[in-house]
Amino acid sequence: MPVGDTLKIRGDALRVIEKHAQQFPDEEVCGLLAGKGGVVELALRTLNAAENPETEYEIDPKELFAAMRAIRASGAALMGIYHSHPNGGGEPSARDIAEAYYPDLAYVIATVNEARGGPAKVRAFSIRDGAAREFGIEIAGGAPSGAAGPGSSKQRR
Ligand SMILES: [Zn+2]
């Protein structure tokens, strides 16, 4: 869980989110964030199973279960959910707020700039009781190699 007002995330995990959003600038991409010790170490890409991926996201349930198993097996915890907004701001939408069922998770939103393919901007929020509060994002770099745990799969694709 994020600590205080800051979401600590490793640079390589942040880049996974940015690249995922850039790769599909016309639809919402989504994934999970896992880590331990208050630091997000891993971003896991998942399929967007929503009927209209241009405007909504729904993490494919099978992928969700598989990812949760992998996260637990590596000794980490689920810390957040990320998705992208192809059109529009980096604020959580009304739907994002209504469907935020996990008050202890960080909701990370990436936006791709209008030049399409340009750098993604990433913001993080806590959403609880129908209200969103923004976190700062702090890059937690320089973790010693092997910190992600034995044999952990760093990235699915
Ligand atoms: Zn959204």
Side-chain angles (χ1 to χ4, degrees), residues 31-83:
L32 302 174
L33 302 175
K36 48 192 170 218
V39 178
V40 173
E41 296 175 338
L42 207 59
L44 296 148
R45 295 162 64 133
T46 58
L47 283 178
N48 183 351
E51 225 164 283
N52 303 297
E54 305 84 15
T55 54
E56 59 191 39
Y57 78 100
E58 182 190 331
I59 295 177
D60 179 80
K62 277 188 200 136
E63 292 222 330
L64 180 61
F65 290 126
M68 289 297 298
R69 268 199 302 273
I71 289 167
R72 275 198 296 268
S74 75
L78 181 65
M79 293 180 67
I81 296 172
Y82 75 85
H83 72 287

Side-chain angles (χ1 to χ4, degrees), residues 76-136:
L78 181 65
M79 293 180 67
I81 296 172
Y82 75 85
H83 72 287
S84 68
H85 282 174
N87 302 302
E91 309 270 344
S93 65
R95 183 192 181 102
D96 290 338
I97 291 173
E99 297 184 355
Y101 302 120
Y102 307 100
D104 292 331
L105 296 185
Y107 287 87
V108 169
I109 297 175
T111 48
V112 184
N113 78 9
E114 287 166 12
R116 291 303 164 95
K121 193 164 185 283
V122 177
R123 295 168 71 182
F125 300 85
S126 157
I127 303 175
R128 60 171 74 206
D129 302 327
R133 187 170 61 86
E134 186 159 13
F135 290 119

Side-chain angles (χ1 to χ4, degrees), residues 6-47:
T6 304
L7 179 70
K8 292 195 175 110
I9 182 166
R10 284 178 51 136
D12 47 2
L14 189 61
R15 280 191 293 278
V16 169
I17 301 171
E18 291 169 347
K19 283 212 181 103
H20 199 185
Q22 284 173 287
Q23 196 178 342
F24 300 97
D26 297 317
E27 58 188 77
E28 298 199 8
V29 301
C30 54
L32 302 174
L33 302 175
K36 48 192 170 218
V39 178
V40 173
E41 296 175 338
L42 207 59
L44 296 148
R45 295 162 64 133
T46 58
L47 283 178

